Amino acid sequence: MANITVLDQNTINKIAAGEVIERPASVVKELLENAIDAQATAVTVEIKDGGISLVRVTDNGSGIPKEQIPLAFLRHATSKIKTVEDLFTISSLGFRGEALASIASVSQVELITKTGDSLTGSRYQIEGGIKKDLEEIGAPEGTTLIVRNLFYNTPARRKFLKTPMTEGAHVSAVVEKIALSHPDISIRFIMNNQNKLYTSGNHNQKDLIYTVFGREIASNLLSVNMEIDAIRLSGFIGKPVIARANRNYENYFINGRYIRSNIISKAIEEAYKPFMMQHKYPFTMLHLNIAPGTLDVNVHPTKMELRFQTESRFTVRC
Ligand code: ADP
Ligand code: MG
């Protein structure tokens, strides 16, 4: 992506800084979002040991121009916004400009990238935030980011990681959610050399649900498609026969982003109440499209929770 600039101090202060990288799943989330922001149509995520020893994300997106590579690893360096006003119109996934800087400061990172208009690619290595090497190499168009030995230099944080199996499950959940929110992108997930998920990127929501959740779920769906004022709602909801004992199957996305929101959960459960046994929760895969100006997507550093400008109005309309 072109024109990476460093945000001014004022803007930096307005963006509440937070811990971005907690575990391998946060690394995968940030790298996948970067790939998507770079207009990739195919992304492969590979992890080993739950992502603790290795995370590799390969995309066929725009690549990073050689002279901008070191800049991409500076804190608050982003090509996605320039001033705080842009925050209110942002439609890209990342914009805090701190993911690569945070990741590189707590791991050993190798970046291989090539833009469409460059003849050769670049390979950049940075460990614990310190640049090791930048060289020209042959590479396909797009970007590969390899993150090795997460928290190798911060043992206290490494201690908080769970077993590779648990960390791998977190990564898996993140990949699934991102795959579900992007039917137009083919996403492959490989864990310990085994293929775990491979979505086609053929735009078909139902195929995607089948790939991720299997046949029973995919054959018990009702489609939803409506528009009220500036809100468009589309996707699928499950029949009560596929209800679950927990909320894990309540999926909803705002402007393409997977989020959690008590308001939306409550609205969904309220609507299902007459059809549902107690303590059962529905399967939903709902996409809400709302004008970006009415949302504050910068509330939480990991951007899982959004704030609505007019929460009460939203509840009523839902
Ligand atoms: P942010 O995504 O918030 O801008 P990051 O630290 O995640 O910040 O990335 C910094 C910059 O590096 C991005 O703005 C983008 O220009 C570039 N970049 C990162 N990953 C990729 C990628 N996979 N393809 C192209 N450009 C990328
Ligand atoms: Mg990012």
Side-chain angles (χ1 to χ4, degrees), residues 65-305:
K66 184 175 181 190
E67 65 283 0
Q68 300 201 351
I69 293 173
L71 211 50
F73 286 89
L74 290 181
R75 195 163 291 276
H76 303 300
T78 179
S79 59
K80 298 168 194 172
I81 56 168
K82 292 198 169 55
T83 70
V84 79
E85 280 73 42
D86 293 346
L87 281 177
F88 298 100
T89 53
I90 190 82
S91 60
S92 90
L93 295 169
F95 51 81
R96 302 172 65 93
E98 53 190 4
L100 290 188
S102 306
I103 294 167
S105 67
V106 291
S107 68
Q108 298 159 329
V109 171
E110 183 180 341
L111 165 78
I112 295 159
T113 187
K114 184 183 155 328
T115 58
D117 52 15
S118 148
L119 289 176
T120 55
S122 312
R123 180 164 169 269
Y124 183 71
Q125 282 176 287
I126 176 167
E127 291 186 13
I130 296 160
K131 174 190 163 180
K132 293 282 165 190
D133 200 22
L134 175 60
E135 59 179 355
E136 274 189 15
I137 53 154
E141 211 173 307
T143 301
T144 295
L145 245 148
I146 306 167
V147 178
R148 293 191 176 90
N149 303 321
L150 187 63
F151 301 142
Y152 80 104
N153 56 354
T154 48
R157 293 175 74 180
R158 196 177 173 116
K159 249 193 358 226
F160 278 99
L161 292 178
K162 303 283 189 292
T163 62
M165 213 172 116
T166 304
E167 294 300 338
H170 283 292
V171 172
S172 194
V174 161
V175 176
E176 259 177 26
K177 267 146 207 166
I178 293 180
L180 284 167
S181 45
H182 295 279
D184 50 335
I185 301 177
S186 170
I187 294 182
R188 185 198 284 262
F189 177 47
I190 301 163
M191 181 150 68
N192 298 330
N193 299 320
Q194 274 189 311
N195 254 309
K196 289 288 174 193
L197 182 72
Y198 191 11
T199 66
S200 70
N202 74 352
H203 297 258
N204 188 314
Q205 284 279 352
K206 215 163 178 182
D207 284 359
L208 198 53
I209 294 174
Y210 185 102
T211 305
V212 175
F213 296 101
R215 194 163 63 136
E216 201 212 341
I217 300 283
S219 51
N220 283 294
L221 300 174
L222 303 168
S223 81
V224 174
N225 218 327
M226 61 190 296
E227 209 167 330
I228 306 167
D229 297 346
I231 300 170
R232 206 177 107 73
L233 182 66
S234 64
F236 291 91
I237 57 172
K239 295 180 186 167
V241 284
I242 53 168
R244 301 277 136 167
N246 58 50
R247 291 192 170 91
N248 288 349
Y249 275 19
E250 276 179 28
N251 297 289
Y252 36 85
F253 305 84
I254 294 195
N255 297 350
R257 181 174 306 172
Y258 180 90
I259 57 137
R260 286 262 145 239
S261 153
N262 285 336
I263 291 175
I264 299 180
S265 287
K266 257 195 229 137
I268 289 174
E269 286 159 27
E270 201 57 41
Y272 263 96
K273 228 177 195 164
F275 312 100
M276 217 59 133
M277 305 240 291
Q278 255 201 333
H279 309 301
K280 288 279 189 184
Y281 302 92
F283 174 92
T284 66
M285 190 61 58
L286 288 171
H287 288 265
L288 275 144
N289 278 80
I290 308 172
T294 57
L295 294 170
D296 180 1
V297 279
N298 204 32
V299 170
H300 191 270
T302 61
K303 294 168 267 165
M304 280 276 277
E305 297 211 12

